[in-house]
Amino acid sequence: MASNADAVTLYWESCWNDRRTERLVEVFHHPYTHGRTQVSPARMAAIIDETVASLPDVQVCVDETEVLSDVVITRSRFIATHGGVILGLDPTGKPVNVPTLDIFFFRDGKVARYWHLTDHLPILVGIEAEVRIGDQVAKLD
């Protein structure tokens, strides 16, 4: 891989947007640390598959990339249509635009540690979900 930033671009464009999950081995060590858990690139492939099952047309739009030596940070959006069960909710066919923040820690040209943060509230707002706590209904606008 030419650079750490190139590896992250491959991750988003090829592995996510083109669904070429076999290329995850080019990006991630085996194993790597996902949050606090040691996993394999195959586990990341399963995460992509699970996401595509609920958001079949999902595309990742990277809004910003910051490279800091052996760390690459991306601020992205998952843009999709709710076409499968997500968070226990049946498909609505409604669009969602979900912001994420991802931090990739590199060692020897591959990701050794990965942190991913998703703001799930835009999913609930986008699909017009009703959120209840007891008898109270939360307003999500």
Side-chain angles (χ1 to χ4, degrees), residues 1-3 6-30 32 40-46 48-49 104 106 109-111:
M1 196 74 48
S3 72
D6 290 337
V8 170
T9 298
L10 183 146
Y11 171 70
W12 290 125
E13 292 298 325
S14 188
C15 300
W16 274 94
N17 291 344
D18 296 338
R19 315 287 193 261
R20 301 264 326 270
T21 56
E22 74 277 3
R23 298 198 71 188
L24 289 165
V25 296
E26 298 173 50
V27 178
F28 292 91
H29 279 282
H30 184 281
Y32 72 97
S40 69
R43 177 61 191 127
M44 177 55 78
I48 293 171
D49 291 343
F104 304 83
F106 282 81
K110 288 187 177 183
V111 176

Side-chain angles (χ1 to χ4, degrees), residues 10-11 40 71 75-77 79 88 91 99 102 115 121 134 136 141:
L10 183 146
Y11 171 70
S40 69
V71 176
R75 191 177 52 78
S76 306
R77 290 174 289 121
I79 300 168
D102 296 84
W115 293 345
L121 183 60
Q136 296 180 327
D141 42 62

Side-chain angles (χ1 to χ4, degrees), residues 31-78:
Y32 72 97
T33 304
H34 190 119
R36 294 183 179 161
T37 306
Q38 288 250 311
V39 297
S40 69
R43 177 61 191 127
M44 177 55 78
I47 290 169
I48 293 171
D49 291 343
E50 291 164 11
T51 303
V52 170
S54 58
L55 305 168
D57 60 352
V58 66
Q59 290 290 291
V60 179
C61 176
V62 177
D63 294 321
E64 190 173 358
T65 301
E66 186 69 33
V67 179
L68 308 166
S69 186
D70 286 337
V71 176
V72 178
I73 303 167
T74 59
R75 191 177 52 78
S76 306
R77 290 174 289 121
F78 282 35

